[in-house]
């Protein structure tokens, strides 16, 4: 239900929802800007309780400062590189940041509810356009709010609030460190091209167990293994580029797209890093010899050099040249001849360099 009300200033009529005060309703003059001291409706805080609340707020702001400093310290102290180190880093960063924000919010809430005065206001309805008097009123209200907050009066609160905000303000600057340094040529190479300490080719080992793979034992057509370089089983930075999928084919199943000189007895090794956005392409259909990336459904023909047969990926999965050592274990004969993973600006230069080195 509605009824018609007039704005006295403009003479316009506007429908009013039942339950709201009429335009000519009496206004309770409890505006603390214009009302004298002791006006009904203004409820000052109890000085004793306010003093206790002030100490509590200062304590919460101090906790915020310590937690914010702890966030920065955790970023410097807890480095990543292994799953356990990454988990510890995430726990430290998340815990300290959550504590800092929680303590800051709690301190501000106690400040408003237990230190600032309380009063009731009834706002008169008026035209949407603000006149000069309203602008001046807003200015006075802002100044009054700043005075009521006690930001200038309560030096302990002011100083501890600024102290609490300092680490949170510096945190984004610290995180800028993750924007660099530039990768340079690091994206062009993997650890497969690095020999072991004794100068021997690097073996392929099963991901998770670290077990070297003897070619004679990997002899079932259709078999698939997730493979990592020996000595780098826990190095996440290296595995982000060097993880492989190892497949076993019958000789007649391999097509012209596969470089047979880089295979051994029907065993082929492809990069596991999808060339679209870098997801692990690890799903395999044995009957079609298709490798599927679960993120965006890029599909590669493993029997034909892992060429793209479907999806957004723009190039095949790179093939790693493999062979066996004197003990019959599978090893990498060299690094990938083209960069692995998603495309990047300098990939064309890297592939040209690889072709030049190969020739």
């Amino acid at each position: 239900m509605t009824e018609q009300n007039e704005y006295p200033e403009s003479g316009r009529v506007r429908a009013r929802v039942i339950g709201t005060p009429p335009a000519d309703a009496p206004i309770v003059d409890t505006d603390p800007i214009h009302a004298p001291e002791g006006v009904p409706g203004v409820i000052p805080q109890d000085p004793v309780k306010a003093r206790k609340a002030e100490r509590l707020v200062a304590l919460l702001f101090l906790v915020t400062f310590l937690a914010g400093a702890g966030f920065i310290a955790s970023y410097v102290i807890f480095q990543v590189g292994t799953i356990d180190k990454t988990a510890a880093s995430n726990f430290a960063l998340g815990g300290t940041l959550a504590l800092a924000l929680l303590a800051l919010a709690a301190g501000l809430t106690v400040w408003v509810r237990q230190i600032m005065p309380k009063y009731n206001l009834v706002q008169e309805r008026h035209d949407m356009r603000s006149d000069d008097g309203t602008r001046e009123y807003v200015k006075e209200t802002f100044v009054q709010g700043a005075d009521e907050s006690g930001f200038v009066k309560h030096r302990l609160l002011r100083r501890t609030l600024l102290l609490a905000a300092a680490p949170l303000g510096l945190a984004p600057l610290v995180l800028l460190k993750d924007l660099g340094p530039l990768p340079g040529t690091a994206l062009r190479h993997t650890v497969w091209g690095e020999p072991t300490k004794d100068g021997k080719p690097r073996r392929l080992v099963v991901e998770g167990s670290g077990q070297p793979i003897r070619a004679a034992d990997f002899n079932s057509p259709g078999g698939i293994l997730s493979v990592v370089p020996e000595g780098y089983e826990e190095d996440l930075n290296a595995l982000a580029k060097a993880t492989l999928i190892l497949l076993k084919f019958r000789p007649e199943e391999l097509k012209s797209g596969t470089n047979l000189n880089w295979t051994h007895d029907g065993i082929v090794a492809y990069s596991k890093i999808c060339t679209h956005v870098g997801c692990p392409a690890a799903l395999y259909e044995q009957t079609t010899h298709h490798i599927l990336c679960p993120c965006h459904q890029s599909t590669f023909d493993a029997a034909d050099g892992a060429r793209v047969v479907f999806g957004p990926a723009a190039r095949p999965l790179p093939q790693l040249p493999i062979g066996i050592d004197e003990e019959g274990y599978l090893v990498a004969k060299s690094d990938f001849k083209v960069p692995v993973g998603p495309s990047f600006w300098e990939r064309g230069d890297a592939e040209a360099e690889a072709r030049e080195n190969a020739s």
Side-chain angles (χ1 to χ4, degrees):
M1 299 179 61
T2 61
E3 63 181 41
Q4 301 294 328
N5 285 321
E6 293 186 359
Y7 287 100
E9 299 89 350
S10 60
R12 292 187 294 109
V13 177
R14 179 181 177 184
R16 179 176 68 86
V17 178
I18 296 299
T20 60
D24 57 353
I27 305 300
V28 179
D29 189 9
T30 56
D31 188 340
I33 295 179
H34 305 290
E37 293 184 2
V39 65
V42 177
I43 308 173
Q45 296 287 359
D46 181 83
V48 176
K49 293 183 178 179
R51 180 57 60 88
K52 293 181 179 179
E54 181 178 355
R55 290 194 291 268
L56 176 59
V57 172
L59 177 62
L60 290 170
F61 286 165
L62 182 60
V63 171
T64 301
F65 167 75
L66 294 176
F71 175 85
I72 297 176
S74 298
Y75 182 82
V76 176
I77 295 172
F78 293 94
Q79 299 298 314
V80 298
T82 66
I83 295 178
D84 291 337
K85 289 182 179 179
T86 303
S89 175
N90 290 341
F91 181 80
L93 293 175
T96 52
L97 183 59
L99 180 59
L101 296 178
L102 179 62
L104 180 62
L108 293 175
T109 301
V110 174
W111 188 340
V112 171
R113 295 181 63 86
Q114 299 188 21
I115 297 179
M116 295 179 63
K118 301 177 182 179
Y119 48 87
N120 299 320
L121 290 177
V122 178
Q123 183 180 12
E124 180 183 1
R125 294 187 300 166
H126 52 77
D127 288 330
M128 294 298 295
R129 190 183 70 83
S130 300
D131 53 23
D132 294 339
T134 301
R135 294 173 181 268
E136 185 64 26
Y137 176 81
V138 171
K139 178 181 178 181
E140 293 179 4
T141 303
F142 178 81
V143 174
Q144 176 199 357
D147 181 64
E148 288 180 351
S149 69
F151 187 79
V152 177
K153 177 181 178 181
H154 299 282
R155 291 184 299 174
L156 178 62
L157 295 182
R158 181 177 71 251
R159 292 173 180 177
T160 51
L161 175 60
L162 295 176
L163 181 67
L168 296 178
L170 293 175
L173 299 178
V174 176
L175 297 179
L176 290 177
K177 176 179 177 293
D178 279 345
L179 297 179
L182 295 175
T185 61
L187 298 178
R188 305 185 184 189
H189 312 288
T190 72
V191 296
W192 288 115
E194 301 175 4
T196 60
K197 294 181 180 179
D198 54 6
K200 296 181 179 180
R202 194 168 297 279
R203 287 178 175 177
L204 284 64
V205 298
V206 179
E207 184 178 15
S209 67
Q211 179 67 33
I213 306 165
R214 195 184 299 272
D217 297 334
F218 190 57
N219 54 12
S220 299
I224 179 173
L225 287 175
S226 183
V227 175
V228 297
E230 184 180 32
Y232 290 90
E233 294 87 348
E234 300 296 332
D235 189 333
L236 298 184
N237 289 326
L239 297 183
K241 298 184 296 179
T243 306
L244 305 174
I245 47 175
L246 196 67
L247 302 168
K248 172 66 176 181
F249 293 93
R250 296 182 180 89
E252 65 273 13
E253 293 176 331
L254 294 174
K255 301 177 182 179
S256 59
T258 304
N259 191 325
L260 298 181
N261 294 326
W262 295 351
T263 68
H264 177 79
D265 193 25
I267 302 175
V268 187
Y270 293 114
S271 170
K272 192 177 179 179
I273 313 304
C274 181
T275 54
H276 177 217
V277 292
C279 295
L283 302 180
Y284 182 58
E285 296 178 346
Q286 182 177 349
T287 55
T288 60
H289 309 303
H290 286 173
I291 301 170
L292 175 67
C293 177
C295 291
H296 306 96
Q297 288 70 55
S298 292
T299 307
F300 308 87
D301 188 349
D304 195 14
R307 67 178 179 87
V308 181
V309 296
F310 179 79
R315 60 192 183 97
L317 297 174
Q319 182 182 349
L320 181 72
I322 61 173
I324 59 173
D325 59 15
E326 62 275 8
E327 299 181 42
Y329 290 105
L330 292 173
V331 297
K333 297 198 298 186
S334 70
D335 199 356
F336 292 99
K337 300 304 181 181
V338 295
V340 303
S343 300
F344 53 96
W345 286 110
E346 299 85 359
R347 184 176 66 84
D349 296 336
E351 292 187 348
E353 178 186 339
R355 288 191 297 268
E356 185 176 319
N357 293 336
S359 61

